[in-house]
Amino acid sequence: MDTFELKPGTLTLKDLRRIWAGEVKLSLSPDTAPAIKASHDFVNDVVASDETIYGINTGFGLLAQTRIAQDQLTKLQENLVLSHSTGTGDYLDERVVRLVLATKIVGLAQGLSGIKPATIERLLTLYNEGAYPCIPGKGSVGASGDLAPLAHLVATQLGMGRIRINDEIMDGAEGLKKLGLEPLSLGPKEGLALLNGTQVSNAIALDALFRAEMGFASALVAGALSVEALRGSHAPFDARIHAARRQQGQIDVAARLCELLAGSEIEVSHAECGTVQDPYSFRCQPQVMGAALDVIRDAGRTLEVEANAVTDNPLIFAETGDAISGGNFHAAPVAFAADMLSLAMCEVASISERRLAVLVDPKMSGQPPFLVTDSGLNSGFMIAQVTAAALVSENKTLAHPASVDSIPTSANQEDHVSMSTFAARKAGEIAFNTNTVIAIELLAAAQGVDLLRPLKSSDALEGYIAKIREVVPVFTEDRYFANDIENARQLARAGAFLDAGRKLLPSLR
């Protein structure tokens, strides 16, 4: 496995996707060492001078005015971790935890957090050993950072909580023993630096982004296949139409659909059919998918910036001798990006389901009812379309922006919060629903093309049909359908259709 060197400020979405997928080991650029040492030395100097600075020798939140004695500073940091380990719900996927570890390292390594080098090395060890702290997904409001989730990460290094090693979940103490590690001894400010930050929200949002990209690429293939199954017109994808509007996403999607459809025998076969216009869900694909693509790109830019950010508090500026309390832990940018991503995915799923509904309706598609021969005896895709409709409707509720909500916490000291963690989590749910809807359309559209044999689609689309047929055979009569849907979803998840969007999507370009 390749080793990727983390250089704060330079992480790209492409790099983050590789980390998410577990394709690389990590090292830290040696260029970070001087700044890390300088900020750590500053903290030690503060402690030695008996100066009072928030987070180093005070309580936290509403208790910030409480001065803590020097001999209690390690206990202060440990108590912070233990008291904040209040998360609940299912554990985050290990792909998300990899991103949390990597981006936490990047934030701490910029020399603004006062943390000692050995603590950063511990996070690198966890990542490289495939030792993933079990982080409950619920319990953060996205300010003051992702306190509870990050506390669960750190608690494992104190010998508490739970950790997953080689797919086995064990107690934190057992995990440390298995790794040959001693429990961490947290110095002044270290617990606060580790717990403060937006890394969990951002990692969950990046996970949703990468899955949204998979869905988007799959939807390009599904949409093109559906045009073929309908014997629809390619004219709405003419570049001149889209150049006139000047929306870049729309221009890019139209061009990609033209590439996917080029050379189709099916198009030639109905050149004189007399149909004037196809339904909007077919001919407006560039307009809808292009708008979604623009949002995906914008969200990606925000999340990429945040992955390189320092978001704990207070920040140490050793060169001027300042420790300044601010609010970089407020994850509003992540919340907005996740909510916008949710809206985009909702529309990708919605237009997909509408194409599916057209294909199963013989009055609209000219295909056998529900895309199966001997309809009546066989129900074909009848209820698969109902499943897609159910998921699309569920998405409508999930898409309500979490970022417009706020609730005061910590005795009103933290009186406005971002709700970024929830925004990101529900974006992930929408990504699952959307990718399932698209999987169903892929099956239906491929079935529709197969029902037009011996006519062939384009070489590109026939290649994608062949991939589908490797895991799901042609639907000749009713059978247990759930496996087909799951196999198609897993095919897309494995990246079978990513090439369709490789030139377009932010983490693939």
Side-chain angles (χ1 to χ4, degrees):
M1 187 181 291
D2 293 340
T3 297
F4 177 78
E5 185 178 74
L6 293 173
K7 296 179 180 179
T10 68
L11 269 181
T12 67
L13 287 174
K14 196 168 187 176
D15 299 331
L16 291 161
R17 179 180 267 279
R18 294 183 72 200
I19 292 167
W20 172 77
E23 295 174 357
V24 292
K25 298 284 189 180
L26 295 180
S27 66
L28 182 60
S29 171
D31 294 343
T32 61
I36 294 171
K37 182 179 185 302
S39 70
H40 182 56
D41 288 348
F42 174 87
V43 171
N44 288 337
D45 290 345
V46 167
V47 172
S49 71
D50 214 30
E51 182 181 356
T52 301
I53 293 184
Y54 171 72
I56 296 178
N57 48 17
T58 71
F60 309 104
L62 191 67
L63 306 176
Q65 306 305 318
T66 304
R67 174 67 186 266
I68 309 298
Q70 281 200 29
D71 62 356
Q72 294 292 308
L73 295 184
T74 294
K75 182 67 172 174
L76 171 69
Q77 300 300 316
E78 291 178 354
N79 284 351
L80 178 71
V81 173
L82 299 178
S83 67
H84 285 49
S85 298
T86 59
T88 188
D90 294 337
Y91 296 143
L92 297 179
D93 186 274
E94 65 179 37
R95 297 178 299 180
V96 175
V97 179
R98 277 195 289 269
L99 287 170
V100 173
L101 287 168
T103 54
K104 194 68 189 174
I105 292 165
V106 166
L108 295 174
Q110 297 183 51
L112 300 174
S113 303
I115 204 161
K116 62 179 175 283
T119 302
I120 299 175
E121 283 294 328
R122 175 61 64 90
L123 299 182
L124 275 169
T125 297
L126 293 181
Y127 179 98
N128 288 329
E129 293 295 328
Y132 303 120
C134 295
I135 302 176
K138 298 184 180 184
S140 174
V141 294
S144 166
D146 294 310
L147 294 171
L150 287 169
H152 283 275
L153 184 154
V154 181
T156 62
Q157 300 314 293
L158 303 181
M160 307 290 182
R162 308 278 281 168
I163 192 167
R164 181 188 291 110
I165 302 176
N166 296 326
D167 293 325
E168 180 185 354
I169 293 178
M170 60 194 75
D171 290 337
E174 183 183 352
L176 291 177
K177 185 176 179 181
K178 193 177 184 75
L179 295 168
L181 299 172
E182 294 295 322
L184 270 180
S185 176
L186 297 175
K189 195 183 178 297
E190 289 201 306
L192 185 61
L194 288 162
L195 267 60
N196 246 187
T198 64
Q199 287 82 18
V200 170
S201 292
N202 205 53
I204 300 171
L206 282 166
D207 174 71
L209 173 73
F210 298 149
R211 291 193 285 141
E213 289 181 321
M214 289 178 173
F216 188 92
S218 302
L220 290 172
V221 175
L225 282 172
S226 288
V227 169
E228 294 287 82
L230 184 69
R231 288 161 285 195
S233 174
H234 298 189
F237 312 135
D238 187 303
R240 292 169 293 181
I241 297 172
H242 309 289
R245 196 177 197 183
R246 303 177 187 273
Q247 295 286 356
Q248 191 59 52
Q250 178 177 328
I251 291 167
D252 292 344
V253 168
R256 192 67 186 106
L257 289 171
C258 286
E259 292 171 355
L260 290 170
L261 291 162
S264 166
E265 290 181 9
I266 295 173
E267 182 196 22
V268 176
S269 74
H270 63 86
E272 305 299 327
C273 68
T275 301
V276 177
Q277 290 183 332
D278 296 325
Y280 287 1
S281 56
F282 290 79
R283 61 185 165 107
C284 293
Q285 288 186 70
Q287 288 80 3
V288 175
M289 293 286 287
L293 177 59
D294 286 335
V295 170
I296 290 169
R297 287 169 172 171
D298 286 344
R301 278 190 286 270
T302 296
L303 300 179
E304 181 181 86
V305 169
E306 195 74 2
N308 287 282
V310 181
T311 55
D312 63 284
N313 186 65
L315 297 185
I316 306 297
F317 299 94
E319 68 277 10
T320 58
D322 294 315
I324 306 176
S325 284
N328 281 1
F329 50 68
H330 196 295
V334 179
F336 293 158
D339 280 339
M340 292 302 293
L341 188 61
S342 291
L343 295 178
M345 285 188 287
C346 277
E347 284 303 283
V348 171
S350 176
I351 199 169
S352 172
E353 185 277 329
R354 286 294 81 204
R355 291 190 298 265
L356 172 62
V358 169
L359 293 183
V360 300
D361 183 348
K363 302 186 298 298
M364 297 288 288
S365 68
Q367 293 273 12
F370 303 107
L371 298 172
V372 68
T373 56
D374 204 3
S375 304
L377 175 63
N378 294 305
S379 296
F381 281 75
M382 179 189 293
I383 306 303
Q385 186 268 326
V386 172
T387 296
L391 295 175
V392 166
S393 245
E394 185 175 302
N395 280 355
K396 295 171 189 175
T397 298
L398 289 171
H400 183 280
S403 56
V404 301
D405 184 27
S406 181
I407 188 167
T409 62
S410 193
N412 278 309
Q413 177 75 4
E414 298 159 7
D415 62 340
H416 186 277
V417 298
S418 72
M419 300 308 297
S420 57
T421 324
F422 179 47
R425 279 197 300 106
K426 67 186 186 62
E429 289 186 55
I430 291 171
F432 176 87
N433 289 348
T434 297
N435 289 354
T436 305
V437 171
I438 295 161
I440 296 170
E441 187 193 1
L442 283 165
L443 294 178
Q447 177 77 4
V449 171
D450 280 328
L451 288 169
L452 299 178
R453 300 300 184 201
L455 293 173
K456 288 187 176 181
S457 184
S458 66
D459 289 344
L461 292 178
E462 289 291 347
Y464 288 120
I465 291 173
K467 289 184 178 184
I468 293 168
R469 291 295 168 238
E470 288 175 5
V471 297
V472 180
V474 175
F475 202 96
T476 56
E477 61 181 1
D478 285 346
R479 60 177 182 250
Y480 187 73
F481 211 148
N483 289 344
D484 291 354
I485 295 170
E486 181 60 17
N487 288 341
R489 193 180 70 81
Q490 290 295 341
L491 182 68
R493 189 174 188 259
F497 308 105
L498 274 180
D499 279 348
R502 193 167 298 280
K503 297 177 183 177
L504 308 183
L505 295 162
S507 80
L508 299 173
R509 291 188 290 179

